[in-house]
Amino acid sequence: QIQQHQSNCTMDTATFHVDNAFGLGSHLYMWSQALCNAWESGYRVQTHNPVWLWMDQAYCDSDKAAMSPLLCYFPEAEFQCPRDESLEQRILSSEASIQSIPRNVSNPRLSHLRCERIRNDPAYLTEFRAASMEYLFHRISPIILQEAARQVGLLVGGSGGGQVPADLITVHMRYGDKFWEMDLAPAEEYTAAVSQILFQRGQGHNRTANIY
């Protein structure tokens, strides 16, 4: 349904002005909310911020970024219609009218402006968030795949031809500025969780384990 909506070229676009605060995951979460807000108002969502914090300046095309910063990583998330243009192009166009200038999406950070169905149905909220991420990642840029392959090479060695161990356990120890949102878990909780995984696998007494 999201694909059908975002490719419905009879609809105009509403602009989501993504800020340069918070993490990448937070921004994708906000995009999901902006999509719902635009959808409820009868518009497709289009992101705007030519100097987006999480856009890799070395790999991303600045002209595409002026249209939408998401195009670098998610080339089919937005701009699926021939008439889709950047906000600046549409305002400067000789044929532009006040009706053709994109509207702004209701601020997705304000809970009272969230779309009605999400606000009234917590189960639908969960499904919509999952569907939004599946939609974003159903086709990703080669840039992401290349970086993933590079990181795998750093992990297992070689020039990308190495194999990730089948029993690999990955751990993300979330510290840094996360303390603004919650109490940080001590390192002992992470090691206990890894031990529990090994125990469940029947590896509790192994001398070695592959942990990243």
Side-chain angles (χ1 to χ4, degrees):
Q1 291 176 352
I2 293 175
Q3 170 61 33
Q4 291 174 353
H5 176 82
Q6 284 292 95
S7 61
N8 184 348
C9 297
T10 65
M11 291 183 174
D12 205 345
T13 56
T15 304
F16 168 43
H17 294 278
V18 63
D19 56 31
N20 276 341
F22 303 99
L24 175 59
S26 174
H27 285 178
L28 298 185
Y29 178 94
M30 288 296 104
W31 184 89
S32 170
Q33 186 62 54
L35 169 65
C36 193
N37 290 358
W39 193 336
E40 186 173 76
S41 301
Y43 298 99
R44 294 176 291 125
V45 71
Q46 172 183 324
T47 307
H48 181 261
N49 185 343
V51 288
W52 185 36
L53 177 66
W54 299 109
M55 186 181 65
D56 193 313
Q57 302 291 334
Y59 291 101
C60 298
D61 183 89
S62 59
D63 291 335
K64 287 186 177 181
M67 298 174 67
S68 169
L70 292 189
L71 287 176
C72 182
Y73 304 137
F74 310 106
E76 292 188 358
E78 304 171 341
F79 289 89
Q80 299 193 39
C81 299
R83 65 189 180 94
D84 289 339
E85 300 173 309
S86 71
L87 177 62
E88 292 81 3
Q89 288 173 322
R90 298 184 69 176
I91 292 176
L92 296 175
S93 170
S94 59
E95 299 177 359
S97 65
I98 191 65
Q99 290 81 16
S100 68
I101 297 175
R103 296 162 175 81
N104 292 335
V105 177
S106 299
N107 187 344
R109 294 195 185 277
L110 301 180
S111 59
H112 67 281
L113 292 177
R114 290 178 178 173
C115 58
E116 195 74 22
R117 188 166 179 183
I118 279 183
R119 188 165 60 241
N120 296 333
D121 187 351
Y124 182 77
L125 168 61
T126 300
E127 293 181 2
F128 191 85
R129 289 282 184 262
S132 300
M133 295 306 103
E134 183 177 351
Y135 170 77
L136 277 179
F137 284 87
H138 85 279
R139 184 187 174 195
I140 56 178
S141 167
I143 293 174
I144 296 179
L145 299 176
Q146 292 166 9
E147 177 61 15
R150 188 181 76 84
Q151 292 290 342
V152 169
L154 294 175
L155 173 63
V156 300
S159 57
Q163 294 295 317
V164 176
D167 62 348
L168 180 69
I169 297 174
T170 61
V171 182
H172 180 193
M173 298 184 71
R174 186 66 190 270
Y175 287 162
D177 62 356
K178 189 65 176 176
F179 73 89
W180 289 108
E181 301 177 20
M182 59 180 289
D183 293 334
L184 301 180
E188 290 78 8
E189 288 193 21
Y190 291 94
T191 56
V194 170
S195 297
Q196 183 179 12
I197 293 173
L198 292 172
F199 178 80
Q200 291 172 343
R201 290 180 177 180
Q203 296 177 284
H205 300 289
N206 280 10
R207 293 185 177 181
T208 61
N210 292 297
I211 302 169
Y212 177 63

